[in-house]
Amino acid sequence: MTALLVGLCVALAAALGLSWLRWMVWTRALGRRMNRVVLQLDPTPEPEELSLADLVGRMEAGAEQSVIDTHLAVEQQRRLRLAIDEVNVGVVVADQDGAMVVQNPIAKQFLAARHGAALVGAAVTDLLEAACLGRSGQRTVTLTGPPSRVMEVLARPLFDGQRPMGAVVVVEDQTDGARIDRIRRDFVSNLSHELRTPVGAIALLSDTLVGEDDLKVRSRLVERIGLEAERVGLIID
């Protein structure tokens, strides 16, 4: 009976020792894993290996900082999206796979359009696909209306150093600019036409005046030159 009890005690002690050894091995492995996690959260080197309690404390502090950083990142992303929504141009941002991740309200109108404005949406899609492959592009789309509109679509790839990050497309209404350019061209053309007649007359009268000896004719020519010069002055005014 005594031998049996001794044997049971020895077996129990061996089992407890093995369990304790496994517990120590598991604890040290857990400590090393936690230490790697802590170093990812806070890469500041430590002079010696941290205790389990210190590791837990560092992990709690790192987790709290991660929550704060995540909140700030969310706030920054929301602030950026609100700012993009407020600009008076269409903005579309795609990731490196070409999926559209940001569309402000102006851009959505063109992307969802079914009639003439759908030409702008098609230009956005085509240029965005090319920009995601690293090719910049620009296209002018004229909508007959009414009212007629001139839309400029500009696409650029996005890079983080050498790493592609996607692309951005901007859609801007250039109707007023095109109208001003047209007015300026018409003005220059009309002004050139109006000035051509009196300037040509002055040149012709001057050539005639050079070879004219009759004082009366010379006087009439000078008078005509003066009238044409006044006409030029009126046009300039």
Side-chain angles (χ1 to χ4, degrees):
M1 186 67 179
T2 302
L4 180 59
L5 291 176
V6 172
L8 289 175
C9 290
V10 171
L12 181 60
L16 290 175
L18 183 60
S19 297
W20 178 83
L21 181 60
R22 289 177 177 174
W23 167 257
M24 290 298 297
V25 172
W26 180 82
T27 303
R28 292 183 63 85
L30 178 62
R32 287 192 296 269
R33 294 175 62 183
M34 293 178 65
N35 192 61
R36 287 195 296 268
V37 173
V38 168
L39 288 177
Q40 292 178 356
L41 296 173
D42 182 8
T44 305
E46 292 292 336
E48 58 185 9
E49 188 175 353
L50 296 175
S51 66
L52 191 58
D54 292 335
L55 289 173
V56 172
R58 291 280 294 274
M59 289 185 67
E60 289 178 346
E64 291 177 358
Q65 186 61 45
S66 297
V67 171
I68 295 175
D69 293 342
T70 302
H71 177 73
L72 292 176
V74 171
E75 286 295 315
Q76 183 177 5
Q77 184 178 10
R78 177 173 174 78
R79 188 180 300 109
L80 179 61
R81 182 176 291 275
L82 290 174
I84 292 176
D85 289 346
E86 289 298 324
V87 298
N88 59 350
V89 297
V91 178
V92 179
V93 180
D95 60 18
Q96 60 271 24
D97 296 325
M100 298 182 187
V101 294
V102 175
Q103 305 172 38
N104 71 347
I106 296 179
K108 289 180 180 178
Q109 293 178 2
F110 293 111
L111 292 172
R114 296 184 178 180
H115 302 291
L119 296 175
V120 180
V124 170
T125 303
D126 294 343
L127 293 176
L128 188 64
E129 181 179 353
C132 288
L133 297 176
R135 299 193 301 269
S136 299
Q138 185 174 357
R139 187 179 303 178
T140 300
V141 181
T142 301
L143 305 178
T144 57
S148 61
R149 301 171 68 187
V150 178
M151 309 303 300
E152 193 79 17
V153 184
L154 180 67
R156 290 289 185 271
L158 299 176
F159 292 94
D160 183 11
Q162 298 296 324
R163 185 167 64 96
M165 293 291 291
V168 59
V169 173
V170 176
V171 182
E172 186 172 4
D173 192 337
Q174 295 287 350
T175 304
D176 290 340
R179 181 178 60 83
I180 293 173
D181 288 340
R182 184 172 63 254
I183 292 174
R184 181 166 55 246
R185 289 194 301 269
D186 292 343
F187 171 76
V188 172
S189 177
N190 293 334
L191 181 62
S192 299
H193 176 74
E194 293 295 331
L195 287 175
R196 189 176 294 115
T197 300
V199 169
I202 291 174
L204 179 61
L205 291 170
S206 299
D207 291 339
T208 305
L209 181 62
V210 172
E212 183 59 52
D213 296 329
D214 191 330
L215 294 179
K216 292 183 178 179
V217 175
R218 290 172 62 90
S219 178
R220 289 198 301 270
L221 291 174
V222 170
E223 183 179 355
R224 287 288 306 278
I225 291 174
L227 291 175
E228 296 297 338
E230 291 180 1
R231 183 179 176 185
V232 171
L234 290 174
I235 293 175
I236 293 173
D237 291 339

